[in-house]
Amino acid sequence: MTPTVPDWVKDAVFYQVFPDRFATSARLEKPGNLEPWGSPPTVHGYKGGDLLGVAERLDHVQALGANALYLNPVFASTANHRYHTHDYHRVDPLLGGDAALEELLDAAHARGMRVILDGVFNHASRGFLQFNDVLENGEKSPYLDWFHVKRLPLNAYGGGPLGYEAWWGLPALPKLNVANPQVREFLLDVGERWLRFGADGWRLDVPSEIDDDEFWREFRRRCVAAKPDAYIVGEIWELAERWLQGDMFHGVMNYPFARAVYGLVGRDVDQAEAAKSGLGTIEPLEPAAFAARLDDLLKVYPGETAFGQLNLLGSHDTPRLATVLRGDDVAVRQALLLLFASPGAPCVYYGDEIGLRGGHDPGNRGTVPWADRAAWDEDLLAFVSALGGLRRELEPLRRGTAEVFAVAGAVVIRRESAAGVVCAAVNATDHAVDLRGRALPATAFVDRLDPRAAPGEGSFTLPYRSYAVLTPA
């Protein structure tokens, strides 16, 4: 089967939103026991962000050049991250309920933007009705075989050995028995339902833990039947050929790409924070090794598959971009340029565009300081917006073929289509590099990131620790 990707994904720039921490709307009344907005993030505390707040801040998202949202879970839950799902058929009332999601979807679609939801189908929560029934009724529960029950009592809140399988052994996350036809149908119906409601796709949480290819094939068939251009992207931390044969996912969260980028541009990587996450230890890469690594990724994900990858530098599961690179402004910008210049859909984690810091969970889930613009890195914000604008303007950056190579210490990503050639170059060394040949457009060219630069032709000197986007003049 030949893999295909929804056409809109090839032009997408994603912006990931953690709903409790992005923005809060005065239109939505909240309970009183919320942590102050701007206070350090905690494991269990809520800040009160909601989906109406997201809808009211779409100007900010769109100004970055982003035209797609990836929302962390929005369904009813008793966790601020909402990966502990209580009700798959109801948006959390703290986020504004179903009406708020509908408003956000309508507002995004009116701007030509797409929205994908986070699907947590491997496990539910202790508050999930069917699991709660087992807690209450034990061996008499009609839902006993919805879970992997090993013994009774379940001891879900302590008191003895855990009586059921749970994600990573965490009692709050009972694993669903997807081999049960009723459970399968329940989850497939959820997948269809929210696409019909208006969502544009699913990001799938830990899908490899549902080790059942036929389930994922049926999930794709049902989702595409509900919405033919739905995008399905899985959270797979390593190479993912198994799931990208054209019958399961369109793409995966491309963490190998993030590791390679950090390995190239990072001079003082915060290895301790990176190692707390799935990023692991970041291997330093010389330019030639980086070019080879990206070339290998493009061979693993050839043709259309490359355009379906969700490329990223950080997420709710990793330390933030500025934290990994210890605030190295040049390295941050080089990393972002590589993100926007590579094949696949770039995804910016909320707040990274203004330089938010934060280590591993919960530190990486802070609030956006909307009322304190002095806390924003305005230069970085302008840089990300410029990259988004170039991606929108230059078709080769979105749909062109890609050639990655090292030139005397610099890395060049050459993107080419019928619309022209774009060469994105990064010099992470301490010496200037002269670019020639295929590292440059064949005609006179200009650096689109430096409006003061005069057009060049035939050669281009890339100063030490710098970057450029070269297009025909």
Side-chain angles (χ1 to χ4, degrees):
M1 179 178 292
T2 302
T4 59
V5 173
D7 194 63
W8 65 266
V9 176
K10 299 174 186 177
D11 296 325
V13 173
F14 279 88
Y15 187 81
Q16 180 186 349
V17 169
F18 192 91
D20 186 62
R21 309 294 164 78
F22 180 65
T24 184
S25 172
R27 292 187 288 144
L28 186 61
E29 185 176 358
K30 302 285 174 54
N33 190 31
L34 298 175
E35 295 178 342
W37 195 264
S39 62
T42 62
V43 172
H44 297 292
Y46 292 81
K47 306 298 187 189
D50 57 68
L51 298 181
L52 295 181
V54 180
E56 292 166 2
R57 299 290 182 174
L58 288 179
D59 281 349
H60 172 83
V61 177
Q62 204 165 30
L64 300 173
N67 55 11
L69 291 174
Y70 152 37
L71 300 178
N72 283 110
V74 299
F75 304 123
S77 173
T78 55
N80 56 42
H81 48 72
R82 296 181 172 86
Y83 282 96
H84 299 44
T85 312
H86 278 218
D87 188 346
Y88 289 88
H89 291 290
R90 184 166 65 103
V91 174
D92 197 303
L94 279 176
L95 297 179
D98 291 8
L101 177 59
E102 183 176 24
E103 180 174 325
L104 172 57
L105 291 171
D106 288 346
H109 292 158
R111 295 167 178 257
M113 301 175 72
R114 304 286 185 139
V115 181
I116 67 171
L117 304 179
D118 207 325
V120 188
F121 301 139
N122 174 69
H123 48 266
S125 71
R126 289 176 294 204
F128 181 54
L129 184 146
Q130 288 82 349
F131 188 78
N132 198 249
D133 192 283
V134 181
L135 282 176
E136 294 291 332
N137 299 305
E139 64 181 7
K140 300 298 185 181
S141 172
Y143 300 109
L144 193 66
D145 61 354
W146 274 51
F147 307 94
H148 298 271
V149 175
K150 297 182 288 186
R151 66 182 70 86
L152 293 170
L154 296 177
N155 296 319
Y157 292 93
L162 199 63
Y164 55 94
E165 290 185 22
W167 185 71
W168 282 29
L170 297 172
L173 300 173
K175 181 176 173 63
L176 289 160
N177 178 16
V178 179
N180 181 329
Q182 291 182 333
V183 175
R184 293 171 88 88
E185 184 57 33
F186 175 88
L187 296 174
L188 294 169
D189 178 68
V190 170
E192 292 176 304
R193 178 195 170 170
W194 292 104
L195 293 175
R196 292 195 177 105
F197 188 86
D200 297 292
W202 288 101
R203 176 268 188 187
L204 301 171
D205 185 60
V206 296
S208 62
E209 308 236 359
I210 300 178
D211 190 15
D212 184 338
D213 290 359
E214 188 49 42
F215 171 77
W216 291 122
R217 292 187 183 105
E218 182 63 12
F219 184 85
R220 174 165 170 154
R221 286 192 290 266
R222 296 275 287 266
C223 286
V224 170
K227 176 165 286 190
D229 65 349
Y231 176 47
I232 302 171
V233 57
E235 181 205 6
I236 306 290
W237 286 74
E238 307 300 334
L239 297 179
E241 302 99 311
R242 168 183 170 184
W243 292 276
L244 299 177
Q245 299 302 308
D247 57 352
M248 287 186 271
F249 310 156
H250 297 107
V252 295
M253 299 180 79
N254 200 352
Y255 285 106
F257 170 84
R259 295 186 191 106
V261 170
Y262 284 137
L264 174 70
V265 305
R267 294 197 156 199
D268 184 22
V269 169
D270 192 332
Q271 295 284 9
E273 284 295 334
K276 294 176 186 176
S277 74
L279 288 175
T281 300
I282 302 299
E283 175 191 359
L285 295 177
E286 295 297 323
F290 173 84
R293 189 73 54 88
L294 253 61
D295 190 55
D296 287 344
L297 279 174
L298 292 174
K299 289 175 181 175
V300 171
Y301 304 139
E304 284 268 303
T305 309
F307 297 118
Q309 303 317 300
L310 190 68
N311 294 338
L312 71 167
L313 298 170
S315 72
H316 63 290
D317 284 327
T318 71
R320 285 189 172 275
L321 169 62
T323 296
V324 174
L325 296 174
R326 296 187 189 273
D328 182 335
D329 291 343
V330 172
V332 165
R333 285 161 173 74
Q334 290 178 331
L336 286 163
L337 174 54
L338 293 169
L339 175 69
F340 277 79
S342 298
C347 183
V348 175
Y349 185 47
Y350 84 98
D352 279 357
E353 76 279 9
I354 59 171
L356 287 191
R357 304 282 186 94
H360 191 54
D361 172 21
N364 55 357
R365 302 174 181 182
T367 55
V368 177
W370 297 106
D372 183 14
R373 287 292 292 240
W376 294 30
D377 185 334
E378 298 283 0
D379 290 340
L380 180 59
L381 177 64
F383 183 76
V384 175
S385 298
L387 292 178
L390 289 176
R391 178 104 181 180
R392 180 175 58 246
E393 175 191 349
L394 302 173
E395 192 256 17
L397 286 180
R398 306 190 309 273
R399 294 171 175 256
T401 59
E403 184 180 359
V404 187
F405 45 89
V407 181
V411 167
V412 177
I413 301 177
R414 180 186 174 94
R415 304 294 304 276
E416 186 168 2
S417 72
V421 174
V422 178
C423 293
V426 165
N427 180 5
T429 73
D430 287 321
H431 57 81
V433 172
D434 288 329
L435 302 181
R436 299 177 184 273
R438 291 189 59 76
L440 302 173
T443 60
F445 57 84
V446 66
D447 179 5
R448 297 296 300 275
L449 290 176
D450 185 358
R452 300 166 301 175
E457 188 169 1
S459 67
F460 179 78
T461 299
L462 193 62
Y464 74 95
R465 299 208 73 206
S466 66
Y467 40 82
V469 175
L470 306 176
T471 66

